[in-house]
Amino acid sequence: MQTTNERAEIAELTKKEMLDLLFLKARTHHAWLDRPVPDELLKDAYDLARMGPTSANDNPMRLVFIKSKEAKKRLKPALSPGNIDQTMSAPVTAIIAYDMAFYEHLPRLFPHTDAKSWYVGQPEATFITAFRNGTLQGAYYLLACRALGLDIGPMSGFDNDMVDKEFFTSSTYKSNWLCNIGYGDPSKLHPRGPRFDFSEIAKII
């Protein structure tokens, strides 16, 4: 039988491993192993990410997963030159988008009050809320992928208008950023870049 100290050590090890997986040893990948990502794993990551908080539970993030050769061909012209190879070789590329008509779902998602009225006829408030919370949810999704053992390569080097015309012509969705998803090749990683220290960027007042 395990002692209390042994159980505490195991719990601490698990905590350290999770922190390594999410942050401390996690890296942004640009080269990928030839290993497919099951559709079910993409869904599992969403089921985790959707539990993160958003303003009035508005959930404006929308996702399109590029996996097929045909879909990659459609995406390729919108990519910056430096992002083509890594994206074409990634098992999956997620278009992280936000829905400018997210408020239509608020009677279901936030029934406590008439939250929909906060946005109808208010394009600036609608954009700010959709963009902010869609970005937040995209970050949740990134961390959920890492938590499930996937590697990610988020990027903004692409033409949003081209992506929107190709993939969202008949919808109220707008592309935000892209994220390559798969199993990264650790042999192709560069040394980790520096980060600011807490004292350089933060104040407690």
Side-chain angles (χ1 to χ4, degrees):
M1 180 178 293
Q2 292 174 338
T3 67
T4 300
N5 287 340
E6 287 173 335
R7 288 195 295 272
E9 289 175 0
I10 291 172
E12 186 62 28
L13 177 63
T14 303
K15 176 183 176 182
K16 181 182 184 303
E17 288 174 340
M18 184 55 71
L19 290 175
D20 285 345
L21 193 65
L22 293 178
F23 297 106
L24 301 178
K25 292 186 178 179
R27 298 294 305 278
T28 298
H29 282 266
H30 304 283
W32 305 95
L33 301 176
D34 185 16
R35 181 181 172 188
V37 174
D39 292 353
E40 192 65 22
L41 203 52
L42 299 174
K43 178 183 179 298
D44 289 346
Y46 171 71
D47 286 341
L48 290 173
R50 68 177 179 165
M51 303 310 293
T54 55
S55 299
N57 198 36
D58 53 30
N59 286 269
M61 180 180 69
R62 303 293 183 264
L63 298 167
V64 173
F65 295 103
I66 307 296
K67 292 188 74 174
S68 68
K69 290 182 179 180
E70 293 77 12
K72 285 177 177 283
K73 185 177 180 180
R74 292 169 59 194
L75 179 63
K76 185 176 179 180
L79 299 172
S80 300
N83 285 335
I84 290 176
D85 289 345
Q86 61 175 306
T87 303
M88 293 299 101
S89 64
V92 183
T93 301
I95 303 175
I96 313 292
Y98 53 93
D99 186 359
M100 286 293 289
F102 69 89
Y103 53 82
E104 295 290 350
H105 303 280
L106 287 177
R108 171 192 170 195
L109 299 176
F110 199 73
H112 325 292
T113 188
D114 182 19
K116 179 178 175 179
S117 65
W118 303 344
Y119 301 103
V120 174
Q122 303 292 331
E124 183 176 357
T126 297
F127 168 74
I128 290 172
T129 302
F131 182 75
R132 177 187 295 132
N133 289 278
T135 301
L136 185 63
Q137 285 191 288
Y140 295 150
Y141 192 79
L142 178 155
L143 290 175
C145 285
R146 284 180 169 176
L148 294 175
L150 293 166
D151 293 309
I152 50 89
M155 58 187 179
S156 57
F158 70 102
D159 188 315
N160 289 80
D161 289 338
M162 289 182 67
V163 167
D164 292 349
K165 289 176 182 177
E166 184 64 36
F167 294 96
F168 302 134
T169 300
S170 58
S171 78
T172 53
Y173 301 175
K174 299 291 183 182
S175 59
N176 192 347
W177 46 284
L178 304 179
C179 187
N180 290 328
I181 302 170
Y183 299 94
D185 183 349
S187 70
K188 303 293 178 61
L189 286 171
H190 299 294
R192 185 190 286 277
R195 298 321 198 248
F196 288 115
D197 289 334
F198 181 85
S199 60
E200 295 179 277
I201 56 85
K203 291 182 180 180
I204 299 175
I205 58 174

